[in-house]
Amino acid sequence: MEFTLLILLLPIVLFLILGLAGHKMKPLFAGLVGTLGMLTITVLAYFTAYKYFFVEGKVGGVFQELIPFSFEWLRFTDNLHIDLGILLDPISVMMLVVITTVSLMVHIYSLAYMQGEKGFQRYFAYLSLFSFSMLGLVVATNIFQMYIFWELVGVSSYLLIGFYYTKPSAVSASKKAFIVTRFADLGFLLGILVLSYYTGTFDFGQLTADHASLVVNSTAGASFMGLSIASLAMALIFMGGAGKSAMFPLHIWLPDAMEGPTPVSALIHAATMVVAGVYLVARLFPVYFFAAPDILNMIAYIGAFTAIFAALIAITQTDIKRVLAFSTISQIAYMMVALGVSGYGDHDGLGYMASMFHLFTHAFFKALLFLGAGSVIHAVHSNEMKDMGNLRKFMPITHITFLIACLSIAGIPPFSGFFSKDEILAAAFHHDKFLFASLWIVAGLTAFYMFRLYFNIFWGKTKEYAGAHKPHESPWQMSFPLLFLAFLSIVTGFIPFSSFVSTDNIGFDAHIDWSIAASGIGVALLGIAGAVVLYMKGGDKPAELAKSFGGFYTATLNKFYLDEVWMFITKSIIFKWICMPIAWFDKNVIDAAFDALASITQKIAYAIRGFQSGQIQFYAWVFVVGTLAIATYALLNE
């Protein structure tokens, strides 16, 4: 399967072509080059999935780890070296399909959505770089290769979020995303260094083989401040994943990332950057489970808190893209909880399978939600719900597809979100009833805030839209991705996912536990019913209800003031009490010491400059005086 190398080469070639020569192309031509290139990559990814899952990948009932391409890049010791290659296994192949599918839909959608924008060619170059970065991340054969592409994803997101570089809020958002994730990635890098120091390898195959025995044995008995080295390393690595996947308290960059173009939001939230943290934990799951189970349990509780926290904030937001941003944080947290509660092997690994299944289905319905939101914004030229209403009459395709996505994320059968979310609830129920209760509440909140969004956009009273231009359905370049993603949001739940993805790469049969599923459906319907009562016909009920919650409503509306807390920490503590003293010491001690050394050297040089005057008479006089001094010294010491 050496052809899989093309999946990585094509997007970077597209980036170079569009980045270096795009300005010489007509915008539409540049867009078509990027889109047709991504279509080719998508076809290759689907062919790879077919060959892996149905032809070459399964041997003796076990899906194998195939490395069709690899070469040594850097060697440190006989055992420790960094390779660059391609690893094909169930989760990496699944991610190839997810990334390329969503990226292709975003490319097609952008042909119309971004039409007329300054920097159109540059935009498509950035999309290619982003796709290359994420594809390289998921097929990495070792953790250091993953880290390289991990950082490229960060650079790509910085470029795309800040695409509107003349807009101060977009520039600020791109810097915020970059800085917060870099802070988290420092932990990731330290974790890699600690893990590789003890194990002597970066290779995923060696780290996870035989129930992560290499990690368990090499770190046995080693500890730091009461924490085992294995736990310390895996906690630091998770810190990087928490930053990328916007787990509390490192979630603050994601809502602001909405300042980028809406198709970019779909790409970041659905298939690339935000799911990277989940993928990282899944890739190293055997290490977490066997070597650091305490950290895996911590991940579950962080995920549960983040899911509730983000869902509560989503209920009160009025910008439709920010509602979806907090929805993403909540859903990604769902996936983290599923990994945290998972066992290993066969049905015990239900949580792992459910997490990957929900990542798969979520990619399509969340991309659909963002692209549907973009279609609405394109029609009414506003992100705010107050500027929308009764749009179902003007935008039938957007309306129906958005409804399908809402039903899917709410977990209503037979839409895909029901099947994946039900498996997560089942895994949590059998592991920890408290975590199950948390996720069950989040399921109800999710249904409520999504249908609050749906009714505020497509129902209620018809607005007096500005000017004579009435809202209308988006062009086919935007409608086609909506219809295709809606189709996937319906059918992907019926894929027997557990037959392909599991902790030990041996498929198993997963069945719906209807007692748990019924409770999930019930709370979702309750959430939808609440949204119907409050928002379907409009009116003053929502405002009255918000007023009754008083300070709690205000806190959720202001995102629990976490941005303000972080600003206080950075400005009033880190900058004032750490950075400023260091800057003072650097300027007044280190710089001053070297300035004094330079000054003394200069004065001495000035004082003795006559010794290099170029005057022969002076040199002769010095020579004679020196000779006499030496002779006198010699005579006196005989």
Side-chain angles (χ1 to χ4, degrees):
M1 298 176 71
E2 291 79 5
F3 67 87
T4 51
L5 182 60
L6 291 173
I7 295 175
L8 285 186
L9 291 180
L10 285 176
I12 193 62
V13 169
L14 287 170
F15 166 67
L16 293 173
I17 292 172
L18 294 174
L20 297 176
H23 64 285
K24 297 181 179 179
M25 304 176 187
K26 290 184 176 180
L28 180 59
F29 181 75
L32 288 174
V33 169
T35 304
L36 291 174
M38 185 49 62
L39 175 61
T40 305
I41 297 164
T42 305
V43 171
L44 288 172
Y46 274 73
F47 185 62
T48 300
Y50 166 74
K51 290 273 287 183
Y52 180 82
F53 285 119
F54 300 106
V55 180
E56 299 181 21
K58 199 171 188 179
V59 178
V62 181
F63 285 108
Q64 304 298 305
E65 293 184 350
L66 306 180
I67 302 179
F69 173 80
S70 181
F71 75 95
E72 186 179 291
W73 181 46
L74 289 174
R75 176 171 287 277
F76 300 105
T77 67
D78 291 340
N79 296 321
L80 189 62
H81 52 88
I82 300 175
D83 296 344
L84 297 178
I86 294 175
L87 169 63
L88 299 180
D89 70 347
I91 60 172
S92 65
V93 174
M94 179 269 292
M95 286 300 296
L96 289 180
V97 171
V98 167
I99 295 165
T100 55
T101 301
V102 175
S103 185
L104 176 61
M105 293 301 106
V106 167
H107 274 75
I108 296 171
Y109 186 93
S110 297
L111 290 173
Y113 189 88
M114 298 297 291
Q115 188 176 12
E117 292 280 2
K118 184 180 179 181
F120 187 86
Q121 300 95 320
R122 174 170 54 89
Y123 170 81
F124 276 88
Y126 291 167
L127 285 185
S128 297
L129 178 62
F130 207 149
S131 300
F132 165 74
S133 303
M134 193 64 193
L135 289 168
L137 188 155
V138 299
V139 298
T141 60
N142 60 83
I143 196 168
F144 213 99
Q145 180 187 344
M146 177 183 275
Y147 183 76
I148 293 169
F149 283 96
W150 189 275
E151 295 305 309
L152 274 175
V153 169
V155 171
S156 306
S157 67
Y158 172 78
L159 294 172
L160 283 169
I161 294 168
F163 176 77
Y164 298 121
Y165 60 86
T166 58
K167 185 179 177 184
S169 59
V171 174
S172 177
S174 65
K175 290 192 291 185
K176 186 175 183 179
F178 192 79
I179 292 169
V180 171
T181 52
R182 292 297 72 68
F183 174 76
D185 291 351
L186 174 61
F188 187 12
L189 179 59
L190 292 174
I192 292 173
L193 296 176
V194 171
L195 190 64
S196 61
Y197 175 81
Y198 281 90
T199 61
T201 185
F202 298 117
D203 187 75
F204 285 130
Q206 295 183 48
L207 290 172
T208 59
D210 300 321
H211 297 172
S213 59
L214 175 62
V215 180
V216 173
N217 295 331
S218 63
T219 61
S223 63
F224 178 77
M225 296 181 67
L227 190 67
S228 76
I229 287 296
S231 295
L232 174 66
M234 300 317 291
L236 288 168
I237 288 172
F238 173 69
M239 182 178 171
K244 274 285 193 292
S245 288
M247 294 294 99
F248 179 91
L250 299 173
H251 66 283
I252 55 171
W253 67 269
L254 191 58
D256 287 6
M258 299 301 96
E259 294 293 338
T262 301
V264 170
S265 302
L267 190 59
I268 290 176
H269 286 249
T272 54
M273 184 172 178
V274 182
V275 300
V278 178
Y279 183 80
L280 171 65
V281 176
R283 171 57 69 202
L284 291 171
F285 182 78
V287 182
Y288 277 104
F289 185 79
F290 292 106
D294 51 335
I295 304 303
L296 197 61
N297 195 50
M298 178 193 75
I299 291 172
Y301 279 90
I302 290 174
F305 178 81
T306 303
I308 293 179
F309 175 84
L312 288 171
I313 295 175
I315 290 174
T316 60
Q317 300 304 296
T318 58
D319 181 316
I320 62 174
K321 288 177 66 176
R322 277 177 165 74
V323 173
L324 295 178
F326 282 102
S327 169
T328 298
I329 296 172
S330 185
Q331 294 299 303
I332 295 294
Y334 239 84
M335 301 172 204
M336 286 291 193
V337 175
L339 289 170
V341 301
S342 182
Y344 190 88
D346 199 47
H347 285 81
D348 291 338
L350 179 64
Y352 176 92
M353 185 281 295
S355 177
M356 295 296 97
F357 194 12
H358 199 55
L359 188 157
F360 184 73
T361 60
H362 175 266
F364 303 126
F365 61 68
K366 184 51 65 69
L368 176 56
L369 286 167
F370 269 107
L371 296 184
S375 183
V376 170
I377 294 167
H378 185 262
V380 302
H381 308 289
S382 174
N383 291 23
E384 291 293 327
M385 291 185 202
K386 64 181 177 59
D387 298 322
M388 304 167 190
N390 214 19
L391 284 175
R392 71 186 190 282
K393 295 182 178 180
F394 303 99
M395 309 177 71
I397 295 176
T398 303
H399 167 237
I400 293 299
T401 54
F402 200 91
L403 175 59
I404 289 170
C406 287
L407 289 168
S408 188
I409 195 173
I412 303 299
F415 300 96
S416 61
F418 161 73
F419 295 95
S420 55
K421 187 176 287 188
D422 173 70
E423 300 291 10
I424 293 177
L425 289 173
F429 181 82
H430 295 299
H431 179 84
D432 187 318
K433 299 299 187 293
F434 174 78
L435 292 175
F436 166 77
S438 301
L439 297 187
W440 184 81
I441 291 170
V442 172
L445 295 175
T446 302
F448 176 76
Y449 68 67
M450 285 310 306
F451 276 85
R452 168 183 176 261
L453 180 65
Y454 165 73
F455 287 126
N456 273 316
I457 296 173
F458 296 104
W459 291 75
K461 296 178 181 179
T462 304
K463 304 292 182 182
E464 293 296 329
Y465 293 105
H469 180 69
K470 293 286 186 182
H472 58 85
E473 190 56 84
S474 300
W476 72 266
Q477 297 97 322
M478 295 169 65
S479 297
F480 171 75
L482 297 181
L483 292 168
F484 184 76
L485 290 168
F487 170 74
L488 293 180
S489 298
I490 295 171
V491 303
T492 50
F494 294 99
I495 295 174
F497 203 80
S498 61
S499 298
F500 302 106
V501 175
S502 62
T503 52
D504 54 6
N505 293 340
I506 302 173
F508 64 95
D509 293 326
H511 303 287
I512 295 174
D513 186 333
W514 282 106
S515 61
I516 296 174
S519 69
I521 296 170
V523 74
L525 291 175
L526 191 63
I528 294 172
V532 168
V533 171
L534 291 172
Y535 301 105
M536 186 172 182
K537 293 183 178 180
D540 298 326
K541 290 180 181 178
E544 293 172 1
L545 184 63
K547 189 176 180 180
S548 68
F549 278 93
F552 184 74
Y553 172 80
T554 304
T556 55
L557 182 63
N558 288 282
K559 298 167 283 189
F560 292 103
Y561 303 100
L562 255 295
D563 284 276
E564 289 78 6
V565 170
W566 272 112
M567 286 301 293
F568 173 78
I569 292 172
T570 52
K571 283 191 172 183
S572 300
I573 298 178
I574 297 177
F575 290 172
K576 185 175 181 180
W577 298 106
I578 299 176
C579 296
M580 288 181 66
I582 291 174
W584 182 90
F585 183 81
D586 180 60
K587 182 179 179 180
N588 294 282
V589 178
I590 296 177
D591 282 359
F594 281 95
D595 287 346
L597 182 63
S599 179
I600 293 170
T601 303
Q602 184 182 36
K603 289 179 179 179
I604 294 173
Y606 186 83
I608 65 173
R609 70 189 187 282
F611 286 103
Q612 292 183 329
S613 63
Q615 296 179 355
I616 296 176
Q617 298 93 326
F618 179 75
Y619 292 163
W621 180 81
V622 171
F623 176 78
V624 171
V625 171
T627 302
L628 290 173
I630 293 171
T632 302
Y633 177 79
L635 290 171
L636 293 174
N637 287 278
E638 282 185 351

